[in-house]
Amino acid sequence: MSLLIILTSLQFLTGIYFYHINSLREERGFFLRFMMGIILFVFINHFLTSIFTGTDQQFIYSSVSLCVASVSSLYIRNNSIEQQTSPYLLLIALFPFVLFYVYYFLNLIFSEQLLRGEIFHLLDFFYHNFQTFLLMGSIAYDLFILKPLSSKIRMLSSSLDGTLALALFASKFCMLLVSIGSGFMYHFGYFFKIPNSLYLSLVFLLIFYFRFSYKIKALILQVRYAHDIHKSLEMKSVNEKLEKEKFIFQQIQQYFCHKLDYLDKEFDLHTFASRTKLSKKEIETIIRKEENCSFASFLKRKRIQYCMDHIEDFIGIEETIYSLASDLGFKSLSSFIHAFKKEVGCSPYIYLHNKRQNLLELKGN
């Protein structure tokens, strides 16, 4: 009972608030807030508090559904004829709640008789059947307001409020088609059943989207802009890093071109890092990226390359391969032979022999 008093008081206060509205824009905002508020009341009751249960819940849901359909008609009227709504029309829009009041009081006073008597069947028929006829009446009123249809649709579709009005009309029309389609597909009784939860959810989403669409779009654009900036900064950082790595690799290459201390047996990554003021990790990373090998392999490759570039210095001298390996900075003969084979494709013995033979042939000619 206390809940009905609260509900009635809220409707009374709503009427007083509406009576003091002065502009069309305020009136449209009031209708949208009112519909959002009572739909949220239904959702909260359904998912959280469960104030109503059983048949009570069905009646309050249907009452809210019809009230939303009626108030949406006032919103369509406001946008179509650009005229403020009479308070009497608002009372008519709130009339569907009378259905719930009638049922609730009858159920409160005659609960035992209702379950056994004809009144229950009459109320059940009224709930299932008359709801559809009221929705049809709301749609018919909308069509009357929207005459002539083509010019009114063009006019409404040019504004955000008008587009929402058309969407609210379309939602009611879709629910009527769902009811009729269900009747054809399943059973004759489905002709008179409106999917209230689906309708209320659809209206809520439509109002939420159109009411806050500019904010949603602005938020999406802001997120995309922030993402693009972050991405561009990342690309810039990557490019700067690549340029830095290329510059460092060029410096490494120039070092090996102009310095010969890498032919020293004690020369290693630590020595090179201390002389170039680069970190060992940085040197290893850059060489692996550019040459696809470790610094040790890169060093061996450079020593073999030096041997290839200056092989003429060794051809005329009866020098052993062992001393050649030592001059090139290899700590053992086997490591030199292995590195030479890997780089040149044959052993240093064969390579030097072939070079000396070619030199003798050239001299003989």
Side-chain angles (χ1 to χ4, degrees), residues 206-233:
L206 286 172
I207 295 174
F208 183 84
Y209 174 76
F210 281 95
R211 193 71 170 174
F212 303 104
S213 61
Y214 70 97
K215 290 184 179 179
I216 295 170
K217 290 176 181 176
L219 181 62
I220 292 171
L221 287 173
Q222 189 175 358
V223 171
R224 287 181 62 183
Y225 180 68
H227 175 71
D228 290 342
I229 289 178
H230 180 69
K231 193 173 180 181
S232 64
L233 288 174

Side-chain angles (χ1 to χ4, degrees), residues 3 66 72 86 111 122 139 141 179 244 249 299 320 334:
L3 183 64
L66 286 172
S72 65
S86 167
S111 58
L122 286 173
I139 293 172
Y141 180 65
S179 177
K244 182 182 177 183
F249 184 69
L299 180 59
T320 64
S334 59

Side-chain angles (χ1 to χ4, degrees), residues 152-170:
K152 283 288 177 67
I153 288 175
R154 279 198 301 272
M155 181 194 77
L156 291 175
S157 59
S158 62
S159 67
L160 193 65
D161 284 336
T163 308
L164 175 56
L166 292 175
L168 291 174
F169 169 74

Side-chain angles (χ1 to χ4, degrees), residues 284 287-288 291-304 330 339 342-343:
E284 278 280 11
I287 288 178
R288 282 192 181 278
E291 294 288 325
N292 197 25
C293 66
S294 65
F295 178 79
S297 298
F298 178 75
L299 180 59
K300 289 177 182 178
R301 187 180 299 171
K302 286 296 180 183
R303 286 169 173 173
I304 298 298
F330 288 92
K342 186 176 179 180
E343 190 68 26

